[in-house]
Amino acid sequence: MRDGAEATRHTLRGKGLAFALAAGVTGLDLWSKHAVFAALGFVGEKRWLFGTEWLGFMKVENPGVMWGQLTHWSDYLPWVRVVAAIIVVGMLRTTPARARLMQVALGLVLGGALGNIYDGFTVGKVRDFLMVDLGFKPFAPFPIFNVADSAICVGVGLLALSMARDRPGGPEPAAPAPPA
């Protein structure tokens, strides 16, 4: 080793938390899509939940990415998502086993990506169904989404938090005061 620096091992060992979370998110996403799409008859059908008019289900098939963008890329998007998932696994590989917040973040992103990858290759579109309309912008109504989308968004937020908190050269934790 050079200058006394230790080599960092890049491995998937100790990353079970991330993979378990990814499997759970993928399973919940696929189950929820199946259940809601079976309950709703036609694309565009909606049902409000709990007697409200702010939370409900609406059957939507999205050939693009978030909010229906890039629909002209629909043939390529499943492959783009695969590349993104591979990048997430690569990031996970370089994440220290003790970096639990980063593992949770990457597990959420990977699980969401896998759910949407499945849809892209089997349905040709991503199945969205969660509808929120709080009556004010940007929630009037908010674009329809699914469990995978939610996991990806929360994961990216946690990833940013983890990276900001653990950035190299950031402030060191304060040393304890010497005994008096």
Side-chain angles (χ1 to χ4, degrees):
M1 301 314 133
R2 224 182 204 181
D3 301 313
E6 288 186 37
T8 303
R9 292 186 60 208
H10 298 291
T11 178
L12 293 175
R13 180 175 235 153
K15 312 298 172 39
L17 172 64
F19 287 111
L21 192 53
V25 166
T26 303
L28 179 61
D29 178 63
L30 296 178
W31 172 82
S32 63
K33 289 172 180 174
H34 174 76
V36 171
F37 271 59
L40 297 176
F42 56 89
V43 172
E45 181 179 350
K46 65 171 107 173
R47 274 198 206 140
W48 296 107
L49 299 175
F50 314 115
T52 70
E53 289 194 11
W54 63 270
L55 178 65
F57 294 149
M58 179 182 227
K59 190 174 184 175
V60 174
E61 293 177 340
N62 180 359
V65 292
M66 45 185 219
W67 304 312
Q69 301 298 310
L70 303 177
T71 56
H72 57 285
W73 277 48
S74 61
D75 292 341
Y76 306 105
L77 288 174
W79 295 106
V80 171
R81 290 181 182 109
V82 167
V83 169
I86 291 168
I87 290 170
V88 170
V89 171
M91 290 175 69
L92 187 56
R93 190 171 173 258
T94 62
T95 300
R98 67 184 180 283
R100 296 295 195 196
L101 182 58
M102 183 75 85
Q103 283 193 47
V104 167
L106 293 172
L108 288 169
V109 172
L110 182 60
L114 292 174
N116 286 340
I117 287 168
Y118 177 87
D119 274 3
F121 283 116
T122 60
V123 181
K125 301 171 180 154
V126 172
R127 298 171 291 171
D128 292 330
F129 62 89
L130 290 167
M131 180 174 52
V132 176
D133 186 346
L134 299 179
F136 58 89
K137 296 276 182 200
F139 301 103
F142 194 75
I144 311 301
F145 58 101
N146 59 39
V147 171
D149 300 337
S150 300
I152 291 168
C153 289
V154 171
V156 167
L158 291 176
L159 186 63
L161 178 66
S162 176
M163 293 170 103
R165 186 186 73 176
D166 299 335
R167 73 175 182 262
E172 292 293 318

